[in-house]
Amino acid sequence: MMKIETERLYIRHFVNEDASICFEGWGTDEHLGDFIMGYPMNMDQMNSFVNAMVKNTNAWVIVEKESGACIGYISFDIPYQELRIGEIGYVIGEKWHGKGYGTEAVKKMISEYLAKDRLYLIEAKCNIDNKPSLNLLEKVGFIKDGVLRKRRIDKNTGEYRDLVVYSITTNDK
């Protein structure tokens, strides 16, 4: 199993046995559902999610070195490998928000995917109200490309919200 290391994190591929630690780490987080559909999850949903992620060679679990806790995940959607363009998605559990783990993990993984010539451009889409995620993207070098109007539904109000599109290329590093 491939494992990537940062100062405080191990980032590795999913294995089927990850369902329980992912569930504990972030699966039941209420506020993730404010910006990402499908949260919070029950254990059956987490098992299905992890089983799907195990099959994805571009899906990675984020584990805090010190505690061994699963604090989140990062995945890349690369629909057309020959274009060398992909989209990053990530989740950091609420217990670990504000500690720089998301920035550390995303920065490392974009450098892995851009530096090793896997991708030329990485795109990220983010709910316009998700200020911490918008800040993270800008902090690691993503550039705002534009806004997609009314592309996400607010689960609390039922209103449609805008989605911000960012990207980073090998030329931006």
Side-chain angles (χ1 to χ4, degrees):
M1 169 186 1
M2 185 170 175
K3 183 163 60 172
I4 295 168
E5 198 170 332
T6 69
E7 182 182 335
R8 301 178 297 163
L9 305 170
Y10 292 119
I11 304 168
R12 60 167 175 76
H13 287 116
F14 278 83
V15 294
N16 287 319
E17 297 77 24
D18 285 332
S20 60
I21 65 166
C22 291
F23 187 73
E24 285 176 31
W26 43 267
T28 61
D29 288 356
E30 292 283 332
H31 294 295
L32 290 177
D34 292 345
F35 303 114
I36 305 169
M37 292 186 67
Y39 290 92
M41 293 185 189
N42 63 40
M43 194 60 199
D44 287 340
Q45 291 168 317
M46 182 58 78
N47 278 318
S48 295
F49 175 83
V50 169
N51 287 337
M53 292 304 231
V54 165
K55 297 171 187 151
N56 182 352
T57 58
N58 293 304
W60 305 84
V61 171
I62 305 168
V63 177
E64 184 187 46
K65 283 181 181 178
E66 187 177 315
S67 68
C70 175
I71 68 167
Y73 74 91
I74 293 180
S75 65
F76 290 86
D77 181 23
I78 307 171
Y80 305 106
Q81 188 67 49
E82 58 276 3
L83 292 178
R84 296 181 43 235
I85 295 172
E87 181 176 350
I88 189 172
Y90 50 87
V91 163
I92 301 296
E94 292 172 12
K95 294 175 226 164
W96 294 279
H97 284 186
K99 296 178 166 68
Y101 289 127
T103 300
E104 188 174 330
V106 169
K107 187 175 188 175
K108 179 65 174 177
M109 294 309 288
I110 62 169
S111 86
E112 287 286 320
Y113 275 74
L114 292 177
K116 293 197 167 76
D117 216 23
R118 285 179 167 169
L119 298 176
Y120 159 73
L121 180 141
I122 299 171
E123 180 178 272
K125 295 182 185 120
C126 184
N127 184 305
I128 199 161
D129 296 321
N130 190 347
K131 301 298 184 214
S133 196
L134 295 171
N135 291 338
L136 182 157
L137 291 169
E138 290 174 3
K139 193 183 300 183
V140 300
F142 278 77
I143 296 168
K144 182 178 176 181
D145 289 327
V147 176
L148 301 174
R149 296 178 307 114
K150 311 296 183 203
R151 298 294 172 94
R152 288 293 184 267
I153 206 163
D154 184 309
K155 77 172 187 174
N156 298 317
T157 66
E159 294 177 17
Y160 285 92
R161 306 296 300 152
D162 293 345
L163 199 60
V164 183
V165 180
Y166 282 83
S167 67
I168 188 168
T169 71
T170 51
N171 297 330
D172 298 329
K173 300 186 311 172

